[in-house]
Amino acid sequence: MLSDYVLEISPEITDTDLSDPEKRQIKTWFMVELIKRNLSGKKVLLLFLLTNMIYAIMMIVTIPKVMGFSGGMKIMDMMPTGYNSEYVNTLLKALGENGRNVYLFEQIPVDMIYPFLFAVSWCLILGYILNKLGKIDGRLIYFCFIPVFAGAFDYCENIGIITILNQYPANSSLLSQITSVFSILKSLCTTTYFIVLMICLSVLGIKNLKGLLIP
């Protein structure tokens, strides 16, 4: 077991004594153990509620407020298939100075909180379901890392948007393209995760239904 291996490592051993595959294996084991130790129902529920509270604030308050200046154009956060520099420049022009300030100082700050909560809560939610299915020790647990990647891409997207807003009107097409790639990757990870989640929930539902029907 990797855990036994880690515990047996001498204190004198440093990172330079380990190969890169060994380092990656230890880091992966640590993250998996971290998931397993935080699967209490109350903790998962609390994080779920907090995450969706922040999401609701964005969907009901900050995003509509920004789009109120855009003349109906979607902001970059809401475009899962990406965008080009022409769209970005048209959007920022339509927003005007007030709209860009609302985007930068009201929407973005909230969206800097959300990716972390999304990553942690949905990671643990899938871990909780896999635990109920008795699959927590299998390879399926690696699907729990998908929200972490989605959150990381969301942060990269936000950094790109912040830079675009601060540089306007001197935006480069390259910056818009890079930010668009992060938006697409965020969307792909999120979509993939929820497909996996729905499959796991369906399997759990079938399992529970069988338990009720078969004594």
Side-chain angles (χ1 to χ4, degrees), residues 173-209:
S173 59
L174 179 61
L175 178 58
S176 297
Q177 290 170 4
I178 292 173
T179 306
S180 175
V181 168
F182 286 128
S183 297
I184 293 170
L185 290 173
K186 177 191 74 173
S187 175
L188 285 174
C189 286
T190 303
T191 302
T192 302
Y193 170 79
F194 281 108
I195 290 173
V196 172
L197 180 67
M198 293 306 298
I199 292 172
C200 291
L201 281 172
S202 299
V203 173
L204 181 61
I206 293 171
K207 180 182 177 181
N208 289 338
L209 184 61

Side-chain angles (χ1 to χ4, degrees), residues 142-160:
Y142 293 112
F143 283 114
C144 295
F145 296 141
I146 296 177
V148 178
F149 285 106
F153 289 134
D154 201 347
Y155 277 121
C156 292
E157 174 195 64
N158 288 342
I159 292 169

Side-chain angles (χ1 to χ4, degrees), residues 6-26:
V6 173
L7 292 173
E8 289 171 5
I9 293 178
S10 169
E12 289 78 16
I13 294 178
T14 64
D15 284 347
T16 56
D17 298 313
L18 299 172
S19 66
D20 288 339
E22 287 173 330
K23 291 177 185 177
R24 287 194 295 269
Q25 192 180 16
I26 290 172

